[in-house]
Amino acid sequence: MKILLATHWLLPHVGGVYNFMQELKKRLEQLGHEVDLLGNSPDYKKIHIVNQRKELAKEVLLPMLEAKLDPQTAPGLNQHSAIRFYELERYCMELAAAYFGLEQYDIIHTQDSFSTRSLSRVKPKRTPLVSHIHGSVAREMKDIFRNNPAQGVNEGSPAWRYFPAIEYHAALSSDLTITANQWSKNVLMSDCGVPDYRITVFQYGLDAEAFQAKYRAGSSHRRPPGKKVIICPARLVFVKGIHVLLESLAILKRMRNDWVCWIVGDGAMRGQLEEQAIRSGLQHEVLFLGQHDNVPGLLSQSDIFVHTCIQDNQPYSVMEAQMAGLPSVVSTAGGLPEMVTHGFTGLLAPVGDPGSTAQHLNLLLRDEDYRKFLGDNAKTFAYKHWSMDLMIERMLNIYYGAIAQKSSQ
């Protein structure tokens, strides 16, 4: 088969969606399929097919779009800056995909609602389109609006309603939507009105062999003598809840001082979070390591994994921590309760509850046997549940089923 994997997000970028696309491309090509990757360039100035070196600059497209989609001809699009931005981006991808041509693909597999809506409008009718939802853009944008009242968006605003509408229309534009967990499926059904029969659920996979190679390679960062390492790999953005983690660590410091916390990642909130750490007196306990190319190596030096996110879907960081045999302290956000079994593979704390998180971390630092019990269970679960072979088998069944359905029509 010739397969197109497409996303509205940047290619390449740091994050789970790009990791997923890379791993899927690698495994499908090992099985003899041809795979192209389409998305935004890292500077957001072009739409490109990365491995084919095809690209189209947005500066060619935007003047035409802006002239045709002014407030008089497209009042709905111009109701709010967020709607205008995402709609223009969506049209840029649509035009670029039409320019590149989609006739050669046996199947198109999109990774978000925006690219799904774009490509559904320009693909050949005979070509099946499968969409993959890696979280809830609608809920993430609502969190952003709630925490930025200056944007003037509330539940009655067009911008509030726009993102659930996009996810609804994207789901109806594809032949089938895949989610990684029941939580994500429930969100599409309850928030966006997508019918149950249009959604299927199966988990991600993780390449255990590649993970182990990185894990064994280790890291130049070493645990301080006499200290346990708490690790949190995450983008430094609001929805990842690092501000909650820092509140938890400030409480934990009043209980004990036999730990450090490594925060691995970068993002728009880094400066703000570093200031919060200093204000909380954590400058010696919390290290911001920035972006790192070998997180498994850092996990090999760590004792406890923590993820205090406000919202998340099925983060690779949790999968990797479990494969490394670490107990996880995570929030109850999104799909995390489907990944971590409280009291068996890790501990769950309510979203935005720094006190509960601190108590969980204190327990694991105090009780070595319990920490090892949770970590061993997590590792056993990871190698059984996060099977890459199983995910690829299920994905190919979806592809072949979609192709057969289109052929019969």
Side-chain angles (χ1 to χ4, degrees), residues 179 181-190 196 199-201:
T179 65
N181 49 50
Q182 192 62 43
W183 170 81
S184 189
K185 177 176 180 175
N186 290 342
V187 168
L188 285 176
M189 293 168 60
S190 63
D196 175 279
I199 310 168
T200 192
V201 178

Side-chain angles (χ1 to χ4, degrees), residues 19 79 132 308 352 363 400:
N19 289 339
Q79 291 177 95
H132 219 125
T308 52
L363 171 60
Y400 290 128

Side-chain angles (χ1 to χ4, degrees), residues 360-392:
H360 290 339
L361 292 172
N362 181 47
L363 171 60
L364 295 182
L365 290 167
R366 183 179 70 236
D367 192 332
E368 181 121 8
D369 290 340
Y370 189 49
R371 188 174 72 249
K372 187 174 186 305
F373 168 78
L374 295 180
D376 289 347
N377 291 341
K379 188 170 186 177
T380 300
F381 170 80
Y383 276 87
K384 179 179 179 181
H385 189 73
W386 307 126
S387 165
M388 178 60 70
D389 291 338
L390 179 58
M391 189 199 79
I392 294 297

Side-chain angles (χ1 to χ4, degrees), residues 127-197:
T127 306
L129 171 60
V130 173
S131 65
H132 219 125
I133 301 300
H134 301 281
S136 174
V137 173
R139 289 203 174 184
E140 187 167 332
M141 291 304 299
K142 287 175 183 178
D143 283 336
I144 290 171
F145 291 143
R146 286 190 191 99
N147 288 278
N148 293 273
Q151 294 191 36
V153 178
N154 55 42
E155 292 188 20
S157 303
W160 188 278
R161 299 191 300 270
Y162 169 76
F163 295 96
I166 276 289
E167 296 197 324
Y168 169 79
H169 288 295
L172 295 189
S173 300
S174 63
D175 294 286
L176 186 68
T177 296
I178 304 169
T179 65
N181 49 50
Q182 192 62 43
W183 170 81
S184 189
K185 177 176 180 175
N186 290 342
V187 168
L188 285 176
M189 293 168 60
S190 63
D191 291 14
C192 308
V194 180
D196 175 279
Y197 70 90

